[in-house]
Amino acid sequence: MVSKGICIVLKCLLVLTVVASLIGNCVLIWLNTQRTPKCPAQQVNPVQPAVHNDRSDVFADLSVEEYLQVCDYMSKIPGMNISFNPIVPPFLDYLYLIDLSLPKKQIVLHHLDNNGPKPAREATAVVFHATTNNIKEYVVGPLPNPTYHRDVTFERYKMEIPLTARPMYLGELILVTGFLREVLTPVSALLKESFGIDDLANPVYYDSMPRGVKSGDRQSWIFLCRNEEGFYIHPVGFEILINHRSINVFSWRVIKVLYNGQYFDSIKELKEKYEAGIVRKVIYKPGPNYASLKPKQKPTGIGPQQFYVQGKRFSVRNNHVVYLDWSFSFGLSVLTGMRAFDIRFKGERIIYELSVQEAMSVYGSATPNLMLTKFLDGSVGIGRCAYELVRGVDCPYSATYIDTFHFMDTGAPRQLKNSICIFEHDTGRPLRRHFSEAVYNSYGGLVNSALVVRTITAIGNYDYVWDFIFYQSGSVEAKVHATGYIASSFMLKGSFPYGHQVAENVTGNIHTHFINFKVDVDVLGVKNVFQTKDMEFVNVSLPWKPERYAMIPRIVEKQLQTEQEAALRYSAKTPRYLHIASNQTNRWGNQRSYKLQVYSFTGDHLPESQAEERAMSWARYKVAITKQKDLERSCGSLYNQNDMWTPAVDFSKYIEDNESIENEDLVAWVTTGFLHIPHAEDIPNTVTVGNGGGVLLRPHNYFDEDPSIHSPDGVYFGAGSEESCDNNRMACLAQETCSPVLEPFTYNGFQQWWPEG
C-alpha cells in the first residue's frame, strides 16, 4: 500500500511539473512576442520616396458621385423617357450601362507631358431604346456636372445597333425564368422521375450564346441543371429552344425540345409520347455531389505566408501606383476588365495602355446548347464580374485590397469590395545569379521580387485570374489563368468526339480559350517601328582554315512596313522576336526597343468561312500591329455576342486599310490562350496549373545594361565575407525579425445585392 501511495504521489508531481513547464513556456513565448517589434506598414527610410502623379486622374474610373450625376442628367433630357430600373419590361427604354469615356490620346499626352489643359471628363451611357428598336451610345459631359450629351453610335460603329444585339439584361432574365416555369409545369412529373428536379419555382439552367443563327434572331437553347452546388457540371438531358425576340412577352414561344437525345416540336408532344411509353426514358439515381468544393479532409494547417519585414515598398494613391522604379495608373473597365495606363520605368513612359480586351470560347458538343455556344465575355462585362477577393487565397493575406464600382444593369452604382489586390512577392526563383569558384571566388544574385496587380473575374462557370506583373529588370507581363467549372453536357450516344466522360452521364466538352490584350507601346515617344528577328543556320568558312566550314546561327532581321504585313496569323510561322522599336540607339549603337514575347497554347481559330467569325476576327492573329486610332478602341464590342453575323466591331477591318506602320504610333493586339479538352481531373474544379497564357514585354537594347543591377535587393559576397551585411542583407535578416500586423479576415461577397424597384 505504501509503495502504491508513493507511486500516486510521484505521478501527481510529474503532472504538476509538466503543467508548470507548459505554463512557463507559454509565458516566455508571450513575453518574447511582446518584445518583438511590429513590422511597419510602409517602408521605413525608402531609397527613393514615392512621388505620385496627380494627373493620373484622367484615367480614373468613374466615382459614385459621377455615376449619379450622369443618371440625373439622363433623366432630365427632354423627350427621352428612360427607365433606370433593371427589371423594366423589354418594351420600355432602359439605361443599361455607364462607363468612363477615355479622352483622345494626343490630348492626354499633351496634358501629361506638356502641361496642357486637362481633358474634359466624360462618360458613355448605353440606352436600350425599345421604342425605336435600337441601341444608342451617348457621350455625357463634362463631369462632375454634365451639361451636354451627343449620340456617338454611328461615329463609333459606322452602323445602327439593332435592339436584338443587346445583352440579356436582368429584367429579361427574370421574364425568361418565369416563362420556363410556366412551360415546364406540364412535364414536372417527367423532370422529377428522369432528373430529380422537383422545384420548378426557381429552375436552374444554362443558356446559349449567341442567341440564334443569323442577324435579328433572339432565340436561346436552354439546358436544365440540377439545383446543386456546381450546377454547371450537373446537366440533365433536357434542353428547350425558346424564341424571345419580341418585346411582347406574350409572343414568346417554345420552338423545339430535346429529351435524352430525342427532339420534339413542343412540350405537349414530349409529354404525350413520354406518358405513352414511346420515348427512351432516363431514370434518376441520386448520388453524392461530385461538384462540391468543400474539402474532403478537414483543413489542418496554414501554408507559408509572406509579409513585409521593412514595410510595403509600393504606394497606392487613388488610381496611381509607385513601386521602386515603376509608376502607372490602373483601373477596371466594366466591359473589358483590368487596364493600366502611362506605365513608366525610371520616369520614361514604356506603355501608354495595357488592357484586357476580350475572352472568347468556342465549344463542341452533340447537344444543341453547347453546339452553338461561342462565348464573348466582353458582352457580359468582364470587369462587372470582378467580385471580392478572398484574403490569403486569391491574393496574399497582406496584399493591399481596393474596392471598385460599376454601373451595368444595376440601376445604381454597385460596389465590388476588395475586387483588386496589389502586392509585392518573391517569385521563389532568382531574377539572376552566378556562383564562381574559378579564378575569382564570388556569388552575386538578385531575388525576383515583383509587383503584381490582380483581379479575378467569375464569368458564369469560369474564373479568370488576371495579373499585371512589374519586374525590376524593366519587364512587364500580362497573364491570365483559368479555373472554375467546366461547361458540360448530358452524355449522349455520339458525345465522344466532343469530350470525355467526367462524371455519371456528364461529358466535359472540348473548347478553346482565346484572350486578347491591347498593348499600346510608346518606346521613347510615339514614332516607332515594328521589327522581327529570328535565326537561320549558315555555313561559314573558318578564317584561319578557309577549306573548313562551320554551321552557325545568325540573326535574320526585318522591319515590317504595313498593317497587313504585321498581322501575324496563328496559322503561319511567327518570327520568335517581335519588337516595337525607336529610332534612337543605346550606348552600343543598337535601336532601343521592347520585345513582345507571347505564351500561348491555343487551339485552332474558327474558319474564316463561318459568318460569325467576323465578330471574333482578332483571334486569327497571334500579334497584329496597327496604327493607333482613338476610334479603334477595342477588338470587340458589347454587341458582338448577340449579333455575330453583322458585328458592331470587326477587328479585321482595322487591318484592311493597310496603313503604314513606319515611324507611327503603334498598338499591338496580342492573342493568347489555350485549348481545353476536359478530363477527370477537372472534377470538381479546373486548376490554374497549365491553363493560361500571356504576353511579356522585355527591354531589348533599351538600356545600356540590365537595370536591375541598381536594385536595392542585390546580394554579393566573396570568400571570407559571407557573413558581412555590407552587400548581403540576407546575412542580417535574423536581426531584423518583426511580427506581422495582419488585418482580420473578412468577406462580404455573399451579402445580398438587388436593385431597388
Side-chain angles (χ1 to χ4, degrees), residues 514-516 563-564 566-571 574 598 602 605 608 613 616-625 650-656 669-672:
F514 285 88
I515 310 293
N516 189 263
E563 290 175 325
Q564 290 184 12
L568 307 178
R569 292 174 178 260
Y570 265 107
S571 57
T574 304
V598 182
T602 55
H605 179 50
E608 293 175 34
E613 189 275 340
M616 54 187 81
S617 57
W618 50 268
R620 301 175 189 173
Y621 311 103
K622 185 174 186 178
V623 174
I625 305 295
D650 178 355
F651 178 80
S652 65
K653 292 183 178 179
Y654 293 3
I655 297 166
E656 282 180 1
W669 306 84
V670 179
T671 299
T672 182

Side-chain angles (χ1 to χ4, degrees), residues 87 170 174 410 414 751-757:
I87 59 175
L170 181 60
I174 292 172
T410 53
R414 182 182 182 185
Q751 291 182 359
Q752 182 65 48
W753 172 86
W754 198 258
E756 295 181 0

Side-chain angles (χ1 to χ4, degrees), residues 354-459:
L354 174 63
S355 58
V356 181
Q357 289 294 301
E358 185 60 280
M360 178 263 286
S361 296
V362 176
Y363 281 80
S365 178
T367 60
N369 177 289
L370 286 182
M371 185 183 295
L372 295 177
T373 291
K374 298 170 183 66
F375 286 129
L376 291 171
D377 291 340
S379 71
V380 178
I382 297 174
R384 170 199 197 180
C385 299
Y387 301 107
E388 183 168 6
L389 300 163
V390 175
R391 188 183 293 271
V393 182
D394 294 331
C395 306
Y397 199 97
S398 58
T400 294
Y401 292 84
I402 297 165
D403 299 346
T404 61
F405 297 84
H406 77 79
F407 188 113
M408 183 176 184
D409 199 19
T410 53
R414 182 182 182 185
Q415 181 183 28
L416 296 174
K417 290 184 66 64
N418 301 332
S419 48
I420 293 177
C421 70
I422 302 177
F423 58 93
E424 183 183 7
H425 81 133
D426 178 356
T427 64
R429 181 183 61 250
L431 183 62
R432 53 173 175 78
R433 57 95 69 190
H434 182 66
F435 167 81
S436 177
E437 66 173 358
V439 183
Y440 194 84
N441 293 331
S442 66
Y443 171 86
L446 179 65
V447 64
N448 191 5
S449 288
L451 187 78
V452 180
V453 181
R454 172 177 295 168
T455 190
I456 301 179
T457 55
I459 308 169

Side-chain angles (χ1 to χ4, degrees), residues 46 48-54 56 315 317 320-324 326-328 344:
Q48 53 190 60
V51 178
H52 287 279
N53 185 352
D54 291 333
S56 67
S315 174
R317 191 170 79 187
H320 194 253
V321 178
V322 176
Y323 165 66
L324 299 178
W326 288 103
S327 68
F328 56 92
R344 302 183 186 221

Side-chain angles (χ1 to χ4, degrees), residues 227-370:
N227 189 2
E228 298 190 55
E229 179 187 357
F231 68 89
Y232 301 103
I233 50 176
H234 282 291
V236 302
F238 189 99
E239 301 189 17
I240 182 170
L241 176 62
I242 65 171
N243 184 340
H244 51 114
R245 184 181 190 277
S246 175
I247 58 176
N248 179 2
V249 179
F250 297 104
S251 297
W252 292 2
R253 294 289 180 267
V254 173
I255 300 175
K256 194 70 71 175
V257 181
L258 175 70
Y259 171 82
N260 192 25
Q262 304 154 89
Y263 287 91
F264 304 89
D265 291 328
S266 66
I267 292 287
K268 181 181 178 182
E269 180 190 2
L270 168 61
K271 183 176 186 296
E272 290 174 350
K273 291 185 176 179
Y274 186 89
E275 292 174 349
I278 55 176
V279 172
R280 296 190 309 274
K281 293 186 178 181
V282 179
I283 303 300
Y284 174 61
K285 297 178 181 178
N289 185 5
Y290 48 82
S292 175
L293 298 182
K294 184 177 181 179
K296 293 192 174 181
Q297 292 188 359
K298 182 178 176 62
T300 57
I302 296 177
Q305 300 291 309
Q306 285 192 183
F307 60 95
Y308 302 95
V309 177
Q310 294 184 326
K312 294 180 179 178
R313 301 194 297 183
F314 61 91
S315 174
V316 182
R317 191 170 79 187
N318 299 324
N319 69 315
H320 194 253
V321 178
V322 176
Y323 165 66
L324 299 178
D325 291 319
W326 288 103
S327 68
F328 56 92
S329 304
F330 70 94
L332 192 70
S333 163
V334 67
L335 290 178
T336 61
M338 198 158 69
R339 56 190 183 185
F341 295 95
D342 195 25
I343 300 173
R344 302 183 186 221
F345 188 79
K346 293 184 179 293
E348 291 184 340
R349 182 181 300 111
I350 305 295
I351 301 170
Y352 178 77
E353 177 185 353
L354 174 63
S355 58
V356 181
Q357 289 294 301
E358 185 60 280
M360 178 263 286
S361 296
V362 176
Y363 281 80
S365 178
T367 60
N369 177 289
L370 286 182

